[in-house]
């Protein structure tokens, strides 16, 4: 086993370069902190750039809309599991966060070219047109471009192609830094009194996902192994419309943004019958969990593996102007959306749960912070409202940097400054292909006790203890641990709610109107724990 042989120091190490990570790094730098960003890929390799729809925000220039209404829509979509206080705080801070992003150079689409007012679209679960967007359907790419450009002035040092393996901790469990592998796989340590996880999501738990290959649940595993609880992990949001590219799709599938339905498109099955008619009062713009479940039921009833999104009411020029990214993806599979409906199917998209944090990014472990998709602030509940995630990343990323600065101003205990070299940990690692297959078959939309038990047994049989000496092993270990934690929560929640659909418990019950928290036992097994508060939670 190799011992770490290089070392660097910072006040704050940020893991990940998505919207939350870079927002936090830039704010930390403004506050005078010595910040170091680590990413296992290139700076622009994260999930943020794939976001299409936009940022849900109430800027006060649309008469019929209000922050309170946006909060209400979020709570309704979250099916009783959102934290109303956290939700109000995050959504209330949205306008300032978007203005800060504009000040960094992000350009959003306008009602008319060079006009003052930003254009708005609507997505599932929103009762108003409040989603601002950029480049038509390339909002994430513009957000990422603005943040990466602002970070590239030399004052935010970045270690690209470096993989975070484990946190360094004092005997009392406080985080003192990070064990990482450099681009050549050589271990080293980053000594820091604060580590912020902004590692994004877990879509690679499944065979088909809208997420890029980096979305391997790394932050969830790091946090669990550091002693931090995670919650709401059973709520994996499946996006209703990723482009169907043929049976047995694997890896990242192109998204067909919900904004297409916001602009009037409708879902139809192979017979041309509407999928959402009569299912929900908001029909094709119902919350995402409702639409994905309805598509899944319709596909099962007809024995099909996809449905269609009929966008033919838009002219070719309208579609090209508004949805250039979707158009390019459709053309690669030979579909022209202005003349033929787009084949689509649900795929894993967003983790509503994650590491338990306050709205200021504090976890239950001193020195460990989290923001963005990896964190569970209470904003998403059992089903995230569309386009609330870029907003959350901007708001919580900023606030997490501020809480690190405030915590460090109180003084760092001297033992937290000590971080010793240590060997890479040895943990169970399952075969990724096997894991994705059983997760897709038994832990996607429509689960039951028997299937979840099969996932558990397959993981137990296929997992082998391996030292985390390569990026691939770190990722596979993260997927293994996260899958175990997820199925523990999914098996325990004996009801259906939001994104968690149990075929053997189809009803939503008041008894289960609470979040489930998962921690690791001393031997590293995920177990359901009592709800845990993050530090500083009310
Ligand atoms: C979409 O554009 O449909 C996805 C946006 C989101 O997941 O918030």
């Amino acid at each position: 086993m190799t011992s770490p042989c290089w070392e660097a120091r910072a006040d704050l190490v940020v893991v990940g370069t998505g919207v939350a990570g870079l927002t936090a790094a830039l704010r930390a730098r403004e506050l005078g902190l010595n910040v170091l960003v680590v990413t296992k890929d290139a700076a622009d390799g994260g999930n943020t750039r794939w976001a299409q729809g936009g940022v849900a925000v109430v800027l006060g220039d649309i008469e019929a809309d209000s922050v309170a209404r946006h909060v209400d829509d979020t709570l309704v979509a979250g099916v009783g599991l959102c934290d109303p206080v956290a939700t109000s705080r995050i959504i209330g801070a949205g306008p300032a966060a978007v203005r800060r992003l504009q000040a960094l150079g992000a350009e959003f689409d306008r009602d008319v070219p060079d006009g003052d007012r930003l254009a708005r679209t609507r997505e599932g679960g929103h009762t108003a047109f409040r989603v601002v967007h950029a480049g038509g359907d390339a909002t994430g790419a513009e957000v990422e471009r603005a943040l990466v450009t602002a970070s590239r002035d030399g004052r935010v040092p970045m270690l690209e192609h470096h993989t975070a393996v484990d946190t360094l901790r004092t005997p009392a469990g406080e985080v003192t830094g990070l064990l990482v592998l450099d681009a050549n796989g050589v271990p080293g340590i980053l000594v820091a009194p604060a580590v912020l996880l902004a590692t994004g999501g877990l879509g690679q738990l499944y065979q088909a996902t809208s997420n890029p290959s980096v979305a391997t649940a790394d932050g969830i595993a790091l946090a669990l192994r550091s002693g931090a609880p995670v919650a709401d992990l059973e709520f994996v949001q499946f996006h209703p419309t990723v482009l169907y590219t043929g049976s047995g799709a694997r890896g990242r599938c192109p998204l067909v943004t919900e904004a297409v339905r916001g602009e009037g498109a409708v879902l139809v099955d192979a017979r041309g019958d509407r999928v959402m008619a009569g299912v929900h009062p908001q029909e094709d713009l119902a919350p995402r969990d409702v639409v994905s479940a309805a598509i899944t039921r319709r596909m099962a009833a007809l024995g099909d593996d996809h449905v269609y999104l009929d966008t033919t009411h838009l002219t070719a020029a309208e579609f090209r102007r508004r949805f250039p990214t979707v158009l390019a993806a459709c053309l690669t599979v030979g579909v022209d959306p202005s003349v033929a409906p787009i084949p689509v199917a649900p795929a894993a998209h967003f983790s509503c749960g994650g590491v338990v944090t306050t709205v200021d990014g504090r976890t239950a472990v001193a020195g460990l912070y989290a923001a963005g998709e990896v964190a569970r602030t209470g904003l998403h509940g059992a089903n995230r409202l569309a386009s609330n995630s870029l907003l959350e990343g901007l708001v919580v990323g900023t606030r997490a940097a501020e809480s690190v600065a405030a915590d460090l101003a109180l003084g760092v205990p001297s033992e937290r400054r000590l971080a010793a070299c240590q060997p890479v940990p040895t943990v169970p690692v399952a075969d990724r292909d096997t894991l994705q297959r059983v997760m897709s078959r038994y832990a996607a939309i429509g689960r039951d006790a028997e299937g979840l038990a099969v996932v558990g047994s397959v993981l137990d049989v296929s997992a082998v203890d391996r030292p985390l000496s390569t990026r691939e092993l770190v990722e596979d270990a993260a997927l293994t641990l996260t899958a175990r934690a997820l199925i523990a929560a999914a098996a325990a929640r004996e009801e259906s709610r939001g994104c968690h659909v149990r075929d053997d418990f189809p009803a939503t019950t008041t008894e289960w109107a609470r979040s489930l928290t998962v921690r690791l036992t001393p031997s590293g097994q995920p177990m359901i724990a009592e709800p845990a508060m993050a530090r500083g939670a009310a």
Side-chain angles (χ1 to χ4, degrees), residues 185-237:
V186 177
I189 59 170
L190 305 177
V191 181
V195 171
L196 171 70
L197 302 175
T199 48
L202 46 65
Q204 295 292 329
L205 284 172
Y206 295 89
Q207 289 174 308
T209 171
S210 63
N211 294 185
S213 60
V214 293
T216 50
D218 304 352
I220 301 281
L222 271 166
L224 279 169
R225 288 202 300 266
S226 305
V230 301
D232 295 339
L233 216 53
E234 64 274 35
F235 301 109
V236 178
Q237 184 174 76

Side-chain angles (χ1 to χ4, degrees), residues 453-480:
V454 170
V455 181
S457 310
V458 169
L459 293 180
D460 285 346
V461 169
S462 88
V464 175
D465 282 352
R466 310 277 303 271
L468 301 185
S469 53
T470 65
R471 167 176 164 177
E472 197 183 356
L473 283 167
V474 170
E475 291 183 341
D476 288 349
L479 291 169
T480 305

Side-chain angles (χ1 to χ4, degrees), residues 50-54 123 237 239-241 255-259 261 288 349-350 384-390:
W50 301 103
Q52 292 185 354
E123 289 183 75
Q237 184 174 76
H239 195 288
T241 58
L255 194 62
V256 178
T257 174
E258 207 160 88
R261 275 175 282 135
R288 210 168 263 180
H349 181 60
F350 189 86
R384 176 184 62 112
L385 185 66
S387 286
N388 267 356
S389 43
L390 289 178

